[in-house]
Amino acid sequence: MSQPRIAVGGFLHETNTFAPSPATYEDFLRGGGAPPLSEGEAIFDAVANSNIGLCGFIDAPEARTWSLIPTLWTAASPSAHVTQDAFERIAARLLAAIDRAMPLDGVYLDLHGAMVTEHLDDGEGELIRRVRALVGDGVPIVVTLDLHGNVTPTMVEQADMLIAYRTYPHIDMAATGARCATAMARLLSGKSRPAKAFRQLDFLMPIAWQCTAQEPCRSLYAEVAAMESESLPSVSFLTGFPAADFADCGPCVVVYGTDPESADQAAGRLAARIAAQEPAFAGRVFEPEAGVREAMRLAESAARPVVIADTQDNPGAGGNSDTMGMLKALIACGAERAAIGNVFDSAAARAAHEAGVGAVVRLALGGHSGVEGDSPLEAEFTVEALSDGRFVAPGPYYGGGRLDMGPSACLRIGDVRVVVVSRKAQMADQAMYRSVGIEPLEQAILVNKSSVHFRADFAPIAETILVCAAPGPMAVDPADLPWQRLRPGIRTSPLGRPFVPVVEPA
């Protein structure tokens, strides 16, 4: 008996439709905080030994008995819409590779689940639909999704199984790929396709309070895992990405069962359990200077760094990682032994490299994205260290991945040190500080441009973690975003007012 032929590939983007910068074809070529666009056998090297869904799939025991045909894998940093040019060019190359690989026994796709393009609200739904049209109804399609996916009815209909991460910070991306391999093996075994059940919840969940190491998500995800059984082979709860302005934005549950009734009942129970926790999806948020002053107070008696999340400029949620609100607050409050990163400003990094270590340079740092309430910080900085930006990030989130932040520098102003990089990626690994000579354990205050992913590597070294809301495109409270196209009735924050579309006058 010949080995099953399984085409594998991926196309990932998390779209913040309120963000300042789109995702272009060139952004996918570079990859940002992910490997660059890869095709064919090069995919295996690109994702090897990393916390990526496709890596977990190809390394799973089940996959070792299959003939895996690599197609295309690419990802770009979260941002505004994927351009039509980028989507169509990448989708065409992925589909062409799948077509060349036929006949196939299965298709595995590593996707995000919250891609919005310039011409499509549902990027993944359309991509899966095109794959389905190519391979036919008889070929199983299994998909890995980020738990921030905004799942649509089309995605559920076109894929045989959608299986989402269960951790945020996402330390189980590869593990979820392995779960997809188990699901694929089940589909290839000749058993009937599982019945599907899908429920969308009626409120948006702020990402700062979606951390699965804390309540309410810690208990909810424990229940999700416990629900799976022989009769319920896959249960997923997706918290959603609350910054995509289209009708299917929001949290949901997707359940697969041996029969429609068991799947539907399980989905209903889980959705009700999540809905009962709605008030818990909120927490305390500090204004910038108030947060810094609280961090300074705590640092006086702390043995470890106080960590502040600069959540609204999170490049993992569409921010450009260049707003200056938190840096200005550190300076205004006279913070000592403080560091902030990453600030994405390639011009400043280039100026630092041209000036050299020890030089004093005058810069208009950051603030170049046009975010309301933000502006560059014009000041003199001392160049303390320089780096080519290439290093391994061994923490749980990046999982030993090789990062290339481009020419980078440590700039000092007062007793505050700034990690300046030439490529965007959220501060989610201590190695990002160390790459420019900053030892995070020696700092009293660390300000990370991230919302939750940083917790995987920084919570173990943190005295405490505070959340601050400096100006940025990823609102800590989704109700603050100028929504126009959500589905009527969904609440834009926990226990908030139902969304009512604005009707334009005739």
Side-chain angles (χ1 to χ4, degrees):
M1 182 177 177
S2 61
Q3 292 180 313
R5 292 172 52 80
I6 311 297
V8 300
F11 183 8
L12 295 90
H13 190 263
E14 182 179 63
T15 306
N16 178 340
T17 62
F18 305 101
S21 305
T24 66
Y25 181 71
E26 288 70 27
D27 291 322
F28 286 96
L29 287 181
R30 289 190 296 265
L37 188 150
S38 304
E39 294 181 272
E41 294 291 329
I43 291 175
F44 295 145
D45 288 335
V47 305
N49 303 313
S50 62
N51 184 27
I52 289 174
L54 178 56
C55 179
F57 186 91
I58 62 181
D59 286 346
E62 296 90 344
R64 294 172 190 161
T65 67
W66 303 331
S67 174
L68 301 181
I69 298 94
T71 58
L72 175 151
W73 191 95
T74 187
S77 294
S79 66
H81 302 74
V82 175
T83 64
Q84 181 172 350
D85 170 71
F87 179 85
E88 293 299 341
R89 289 171 72 178
I90 293 169
R93 289 166 69 172
L94 176 60
L95 269 290
I98 293 174
D99 190 32
R100 290 193 298 271
M102 293 180 67
L104 292 167
D105 298 293
V107 176
Y108 165 73
L109 296 175
D110 186 11
L111 306 179
H112 182 282
M115 182 193 295
V116 182
T117 78
E118 290 177 331
H119 62 311
L120 301 164
D121 284 341
D122 181 13
E124 285 90 356
E126 174 61 15
L127 184 67
I128 301 169
R129 186 197 67 77
R130 294 183 190 183
V131 174
R132 174 61 71 200
L134 178 63
V135 302
D137 292 338
V139 176
I141 300 174
V142 177
V143 179
T144 295
L145 293 178
D146 192 301
L147 65 71
H148 291 122
N150 292 318
V151 177
T152 67
T154 299
M155 293 165 63
V156 176
E157 177 187 358
Q158 296 295 324
D160 289 282
M161 297 185 76
L162 305 170
I163 300 176
Y165 311 158
R166 289 177 177 164
T167 63
Y168 183 36
H170 301 329
I171 60 175
D172 71 328
M173 292 186 283
T176 305
R179 290 167 51 216
C180 285
T182 300
M184 180 67 77
R186 178 188 176 95
L187 291 167
L188 295 175
S189 69
K191 295 181 180 179
S192 60
R193 302 284 176 91
K196 308 171 183 179
F198 176 48
R199 294 280 197 289
Q200 292 178 313
L201 287 106
D202 54 8
F203 68 100
L204 299 182
M205 299 174 175
I207 62 170
W209 316 119
Q210 294 180 10
C211 179
T212 57
Q214 299 176 308
E215 298 298 344
C217 281
R218 179 168 54 191
S219 295
L220 290 172
Y221 277 94
E223 291 186 34
V224 168
M227 288 176 68
E228 288 191 347
S229 65
E230 184 63 27
S231 62
L232 295 173
S234 177
V235 179
S236 289
F237 161 37
L238 297 93
T239 52
F241 182 59
D245 196 8
F246 79 115
D248 290 305
C249 177
C252 71
V253 299
V254 185
V255 177
Y256 298 92
T258 52
D259 62 87
E261 184 178 2
S262 62
D264 190 66
Q265 289 179 352
R269 289 195 305 272
L270 179 56
R273 176 74 177 90
I274 297 165
Q277 293 298 312
E278 181 174 354
F281 283 95
R284 186 177 183 184
V285 180
F286 290 88
E287 293 298 314
E289 290 192 16
V292 171
R293 286 193 295 270
E294 176 66 4
M296 292 170 66
R297 183 188 70 80
L298 294 168
E300 290 178 357
S301 59
R304 300 181 296 175
V306 177
V307 180
I308 296 175
D310 186 4
T311 185
Q312 296 196 149
D313 193 33
N314 173 16
N320 264 3
S321 199
D322 73 342
T323 63
M324 293 289 98
M326 288 309 304
L327 178 54
K328 291 177 180 178
L330 290 168
I331 296 167
C333 294
E336 297 179 345
R337 288 195 301 124
I340 180 171
N342 296 312
V343 172
F344 167 51
D345 190 328
S346 56
R350 184 169 58 252
H353 276 255
E354 290 173 352
V357 174
V360 175
V361 292
R362 185 161 189 87
L363 300 170
L365 181 66
H368 303 307
S369 297
V371 172
E372 184 177 354
D374 186 54
S375 62
L377 173 59
E378 298 188 18
E380 290 187 340
F381 300 85
T382 299
V383 181
E384 286 208 335
L386 298 171
S387 167
D388 64 6
R390 297 188 181 97
F391 56 93
V392 172
Y397 174 64
Y398 289 112
R402 300 180 296 273
L403 300 188
D404 184 354
M405 306 304 299
S408 303
C410 170
L411 302 181
R412 178 174 56 81
I413 178 169
D415 201 20
V416 179
R417 288 164 175 81
V418 187
V419 182
V420 180
V421 297
S422 298
R423 294 175 182 165
K424 281 190 296 183
Q426 63 180 301
M427 176 56 78
D429 198 294
Q430 296 176 47
M432 292 175 146
Y433 283 112
R434 295 186 178 114
S435 71
V436 292
I438 300 171
E439 174 48 58
L441 292 169
E442 295 176 357
Q443 309 308 307
I445 300 172
L446 296 170
V447 179
N448 293 351
K449 286 184 177 289
S450 178
S451 292
V452 171
H453 283 318
F454 74 94
R455 290 178 182 264
D457 203 30
F458 286 87
I461 70 165
E463 185 74 19
T464 191
I465 296 173
L466 308 178
V467 177
C468 281
M474 183 58 204
V476 67
D477 182 354
D480 292 337
L481 293 170
W483 301 100
Q484 296 182 1
R485 303 179 59 238
L486 292 175
R487 60 184 178 274
I490 190 170
R491 294 181 291 283
T492 55
S493 62
L495 303 179
R497 294 181 179 178
F499 175 71
V500 178
V502 176
V503 179
E504 297 291 338

